[in-house]
Amino acid sequence: MNANHHESSGPSRTQITLRGPAELADALPFMLGFHPTDSVVLVALHGERGRFGGRVRLGIPRSPREWESTADHLAECLVDGGARGGTRPDGIVVFLCQDPLAGETGRRVMERLRPFSQHLRTACGALDIPVYEALCISDGLYFSYCCPDARCCPPDGTPLALSGTSVMAATAAYAGVQVRGSLRDMEGRFKPSGGPGEEEQRTVLDATAAAIVPRILEGAEGKGREEVRETTLRLARDVLRRFVNPKRPGQKSPISPPCRTDRTGRTSRGGAGAETAEGDAADDALVGTDEAAALIIGLQDRVTRDRAAEWMEGWEGTAALRLWRVLSRRCVSPYQEHAAAPLTLAGWVAWSTGDEPTARVALGLALDADPDYVFARLLHQACNEGLDPESLRSCLRSERDARAAPAPPAPAASRRVRMRTTRPPGTRQTLRKPGRQTCGVERRSTAGVRPSGPAAGKPGSGAPRRGGQRGSRSGR
């Protein structure tokens, strides 16, 4: 089976051959970019040699009553997604990853999930797609649901390869592919930490929502909404600069994080500490409680969110991703639904800058916060189908440039024009109010905000037209 990292561009692609379930189990974290925890993963195979294609990931439902419907939905998502891309899968590999509960063993987890594995195999078979292998990964072991040979797949499981010792690990290291730790760790960077500051943040969010939401909803002719929009964006720009040049105590001038250039030639700022828990804590210290509350409530406005999405590349993209992470962590109970806006922005920036694993995690969490959040659904579907984010980036650049361009001068009044305004009696003059055109889509001048959660408006920025299904939310 060939592991083909189709995300990489260029005429030469790194290909390796995986032989047997052991190497398949070892390859899974490198395909996703993280170690999946409590997850079901389906990977499409294409051609006679089994080239890896699309993949979907979802948390394993807790209730066995949901397993059959979940299996049907995941199989349809994977097959339909491939068909839309013009390549229907020729086969599927199934992975079930779950840590043992207290008192459980890896084999007990495998037996408990066996009915779910059978539902998945049946659902794929109903779509005329065979399942070539179904593996359960638990407690450092892998088990095969398909191989009856105890010599290669013993019933008590086979230990996974040591980290970094496999051919897949060596190839991934050479290609610059990184495994970001576990899915649980990646999700934790977007969730409230549960520290003592949550109560203060909740109190400030209550007061900020009471002050801002009426101005948005009750302002005369949208004046209050526009004022809140400009205030929010101005504050966000000011905070954004702190992530680029943070001042340290006792120093006279800001410190600029060093530049880094990845293997694609993309340059970004930010040290390694920004990818650690200590770095996240330092980022949290850059945003005050009242500032975070104002930004969270202000981003519930669709137009404000779309304009904030323009910080998507270069130093702005690097700083924006860190800011959106901070705001997601500040959406404490009962404001979890408000996290859909900063989580979606984080997913968009990560996807735009080439970090697809983080994008899928953030967008999946956004859909957990608000399953009907349209912007997150569109981006998640586009990311999973391997579309190029440049089309959306170009639309956002066009909007930004159009706003910055000076308004055309009004035509000079003349006597001849004034005389032509006199019309014969009995005739009616028809006026057409032109809508604002954004990448071929007419966009309204105002957007609604729900006090209880983010607006689920369609982004007016030329996002991919296909809507995602909830089954493809988290993975994949």
Side-chain angles (χ1 to χ4, degrees):
M1 233 168 261
N2 287 341
N4 184 354
H5 297 284
H6 61 279
E7 295 86 355
S8 300
S9 59
S12 62
R13 294 178 175 179
T14 302
Q15 295 187 356
I16 64 173
T17 299
L18 303 180
R19 299 177 178 88
E23 294 185 353
L24 275 175
D26 179 71
L28 180 60
F30 299 98
M31 286 190 284
L32 299 178
F34 53 85
H35 293 276
T37 51
D38 195 27
S39 300
V40 50
V41 182
L42 272 62
V43 181
L45 304 176
H46 300 276
E48 296 181 356
R49 303 185 64 186
R51 175 178 54 84
F52 285 159
R55 63 217 65 172
V56 294
R57 190 208 66 84
L58 191 67
I60 296 177
R62 295 183 179 180
S63 173
R65 290 191 295 267
E66 301 178 22
W67 287 354
E68 184 174 5
S69 60
T70 300
D72 293 339
H73 194 53
L74 284 173
E76 291 175 2
C77 286
L78 184 61
V79 175
D80 291 347
R84 282 193 294 269
T87 54
R88 180 179 169 86
D90 297 307
I92 290 176
V93 176
V94 174
F95 298 89
L96 294 174
C97 309
Q98 191 172 73
D99 294 331
L101 301 174
E104 268 193 326
T105 62
R107 181 170 181 176
R108 175 61 186 144
V109 173
M110 181 270 292
E111 294 294 349
R112 177 165 51 80
L113 295 178
R114 185 182 291 275
F116 189 22
S117 169
Q118 188 58 41
H119 286 311
L120 290 164
R121 296 171 68 183
T122 302
C124 295
L127 299 174
D128 295 326
I129 309 293
V131 173
Y132 291 150
E133 183 60 272
L135 298 177
C136 176
I137 300 175
S138 180
D139 198 24
L141 305 170
Y142 72 84
F143 306 81
S144 174
Y145 291 113
C146 297
C147 180
D149 192 345
R151 292 173 297 179
C152 63
C153 298
D156 289 332
T158 305
L160 296 170
L162 294 177
S163 177
T165 62
S166 66
V167 175
M168 185 70 178
T171 306
Y174 176 78
V177 177
Q178 296 181 352
V179 177
R180 313 293 181 84
S182 70
L183 174 63
R184 188 179 296 111
D185 294 336
M186 293 184 69
E187 290 181 338
R189 301 189 66 192
F190 292 100
K191 294 180 178 180
S193 61
E198 282 199 7
E199 185 59 38
E200 179 185 1
Q201 186 66 72
R202 184 180 300 109
T203 301
V204 176
L205 278 167
D206 289 339
T208 303
I212 291 180
V213 172
R215 294 177 58 196
I216 297 176
L217 299 180
E218 301 172 5
E221 299 180 357
K223 182 179 179 181
R225 174 178 300 171
E226 187 62 32
E227 290 176 349
V228 172
R229 183 175 299 157
E230 294 302 325
T231 301
T232 302
L233 291 170
R234 191 182 310 112
L235 173 61
R237 290 189 195 97
D238 292 342
V239 174
L240 204 66
R241 295 187 183 97
R242 301 176 194 170
F243 291 90
V244 182
N245 294 314
K247 282 189 177 182
R248 295 179 181 176
Q251 292 178 335
K252 297 180 180 180
S253 59
I255 300 299
S256 298
C259 292
R260 297 181 308 190
T261 302
D262 62 17
R263 62 189 179 91
T264 64
R266 190 179 293 115
T267 301
S268 61
R269 289 188 179 270
E275 299 296 323
T276 64
E278 291 79 7
D280 288 342
D283 288 348
D284 287 331
L286 296 176
V287 185
T289 305
D290 53 343
E291 294 173 326
L295 291 174
I296 290 170
I297 300 301
L299 285 173
Q300 306 311 306
D301 174 63
R302 177 175 59 84
V303 177
T304 305
R305 179 208 65 199
D306 289 352
R307 288 179 60 179
E310 296 170 2
W311 303 321
M312 58 190 170
E313 50 196 345
W315 72 266
E316 288 182 334
T318 303
L321 178 57
R322 295 165 64 186
L323 173 58
W324 306 143
R325 272 199 180 106
V326 171
L327 297 184
S328 301
R329 293 193 291 267
R330 299 293 183 89
C331 291
V332 300
S333 175
Y335 290 89
Q336 299 98 322
E337 189 176 336
H338 287 63
L343 284 169
T344 302
L345 289 170
W348 158 238
V349 173
W351 183 39
S352 175
T353 55
D355 187 357
E356 291 190 10
T358 298
R360 292 190 179 97
V361 169
L363 293 171
L365 290 174
L367 291 171
D368 287 341
D370 185 353
D372 297 323
Y373 203 69
V374 177
F375 195 17
R377 290 175 59 191
L378 293 172
L379 290 174
H380 195 266
Q381 183 76 11
C383 183
N384 284 336
E385 292 184 3
L387 300 182
D388 188 352
E390 178 56 29
S391 59
L392 181 52
R393 281 197 297 258
S394 62
C395 285
L396 291 174
R397 292 190 202 104
S398 298
E399 284 199 358
R400 181 179 56 199
D401 295 343
R403 272 197 322 274
S414 67
R415 181 181 301 273
R416 183 178 181 182
V417 173
R418 287 197 300 270
M419 291 176 63
R420 285 191 175 185
T421 59
T422 303
R423 307 182 65 86
T427 61
R428 177 179 297 177
Q429 184 176 10
T430 302
L431 298 178
R432 295 176 64 89
K433 183 178 180 181
R436 178 185 175 191
Q437 298 295 322
T438 305
C439 295
V441 180
E442 185 170 355
R443 182 172 179 174
R444 297 181 180 178
S445 59
T446 59
V449 176
R450 292 186 290 125
S452 61
K458 182 178 179 181
S461 55
R465 291 172 291 179
R466 299 185 185 275
Q469 299 178 358
R470 286 187 60 183
S472 63
R473 295 196 320 210
S474 296
R476 332 95 22 174

